[in-house]
Amino acid sequence: MTLRPLLVLGLVLLTGPAFAQQKVNITADLFTLEEAKQTAVFTGNVVVTHPTVTVWAPKVVATYGEGGTADIESFEATGSVKLQTSDQTATGERAVFTPGDQLLRLTGNVQVTNAGGTVNASELVVNLATNVSTFSSGSSGRVTGVFTSQ
């Protein structure tokens, strides 16, 4: 099960130079730029569409540094978060990507599904620097998976 492309693309839409050259559409019921807090906040039926992934969430917040909106420190989607590519879907309650440490965390009833199967967990951490994805259960149970043999 390849998780990296889906989850990385879903949360770095506003963070990487490779994405700056591709069109990203964001729709929401409300957009607020809070300069004092250095955040760009999209709320209400948020849909982020990139050529290779679509993200749905009730709220998406991009926190930026001194370099302005081109200097993204974190990208967070909350609520019932869904990330979808042409061959894979991931859902959870909260997704956070931090470019500084190259970690993506999807938490809260995580489910990742593709043609090869489904994995359920409390948390998924994808380390983009090492290309390692780790599913964990925390104290709420066990990681479960159902896989289709080919």
Side-chain angles (χ1 to χ4, degrees), residues 89-149:
T89 301
T91 59
E93 293 302 314
R94 181 173 182 248
V96 178
F97 175 69
T98 49
D101 59 9
Q102 291 292 292
L103 291 180
L104 167 72
R105 294 183 189 281
L106 181 61
T107 58
N109 300 313
V110 173
Q111 183 175 70
V112 179
T113 304
N114 67 20
T118 300
V119 177
N120 297 289
S122 296
E123 179 178 55
L124 167 61
V125 177
V126 181
N127 184 323
L128 304 177
T130 63
N131 223 8
V132 174
S133 299
T134 305
F135 288 89
S136 61
S137 64
S139 61
S140 65
R142 298 176 55 91
V143 174
T144 62
V146 177
F147 302 97
T148 305
S149 60

Side-chain angles (χ1 to χ4, degrees), residues 52-116:
T52 58
V53 67
T54 303
V55 179
W56 292 268
K59 185 175 184 179
V60 173
V61 178
T63 303
Y64 55 90
E66 295 302 318
T69 56
D71 179 22
I72 301 297
E73 293 179 351
S74 69
F75 182 81
E76 177 179 11
T78 55
S80 296
V81 179
K82 178 180 175 183
L83 300 98
Q84 185 170 1
T85 66
S86 61
D87 62 351
Q88 191 163 249
T89 301
T91 59
E93 293 302 314
R94 181 173 182 248
V96 178
F97 175 69
T98 49
D101 59 9
Q102 291 292 292
L103 291 180
L104 167 72
R105 294 183 189 281
L106 181 61
T107 58
N109 300 313
V110 173
Q111 183 175 70
V112 179
T113 304
N114 67 20

Side-chain angles (χ1 to χ4, degrees), residues 3-16 18-19 22 24 48-55 75 83-87 97 104 126 128:
L3 301 174
R4 186 172 187 266
L6 167 70
L7 297 174
V8 172
L9 289 173
L11 294 178
V12 300
L13 295 175
L14 300 175
T15 62
F19 297 105
Q22 294 192 13
V24 176
V48 181
T49 306
H50 179 275
T52 58
V53 67
T54 303
V55 179
F75 182 81
L83 300 98
Q84 185 170 1
T85 66
S86 61
D87 62 351
F97 175 69
L104 167 72
V126 181
L128 304 177

